[in-house]
Amino acid sequence: KTAVQTYVPSDKNGILKSVQGDNFERLPTYHASIMLREIGDEVVRASSLMSFAAFVWLIGDAEDVKRDAMRAIDEFKVEVETAEDA
């Protein structure tokens, strides 16, 4: 079996309004996760370890873990309020 910690980035800067795809337990190799930002928090485009929006731990066969890691990242979407929106 393979274990992987997946870093799930925010692709936008602003105040977090909503999140889609944060139900990581839907992934077959899901083991655990933590959201590092909550609604109302400031988020930034990920550039360092602590600027990521979430971490997900996956365990399973290598191919399955790789597939789920990509899904965790690709299906995670944030909606933010930017300074221009205010």
Side-chain angles (χ1 to χ4, degrees), residues 12 29 31 34 42 78 82 84:
K12 299 176 183 159
T29 61
H31 179 72
I34 184 169
E42 181 178 2
V78 297
T82 63
E84 296 85 36

Side-chain angles (χ1 to χ4, degrees), residues 51-73:
S51 66
F52 283 85
F55 298 150
V56 181
W57 291 271
L58 307 168
I59 298 174
D61 294 332
E63 288 296 316
D64 295 336
V65 167
K66 181 178 179 180
R67 176 204 63 223
D68 288 351
M70 295 307 299
R71 283 185 62 201
I73 294 167

Side-chain angles (χ1 to χ4, degrees), residues 5-6 8 22 24 30 32-37 52-57 76:
Q5 178 174 335
T6 302
V8 182
D22 61 334
F24 300 112
Y30 174 83
S33 63
I34 184 169
M35 287 292 298
L36 301 175
R37 302 291 181 269
F52 283 85
F55 298 150
V56 181
W57 291 271
F76 185 82

Side-chain angles (χ1 to χ4, degrees), residues 7-17 36-38 40-54 76 78-83:
Y7 300 90
V8 182
S10 167
D11 61 350
K12 299 176 183 159
N13 297 318
I15 303 301
L16 187 59
K17 291 178 64 176
L36 301 175
R37 302 291 181 269
E38 297 180 13
D41 287 349
E42 181 178 2
V43 294
V44 295
R45 180 174 288 233
S47 61
S48 67
L49 189 58
M50 291 312 294
S51 66
F52 283 85
F76 185 82
V78 297
E79 180 182 350
V80 300
E81 180 178 329
T82 63

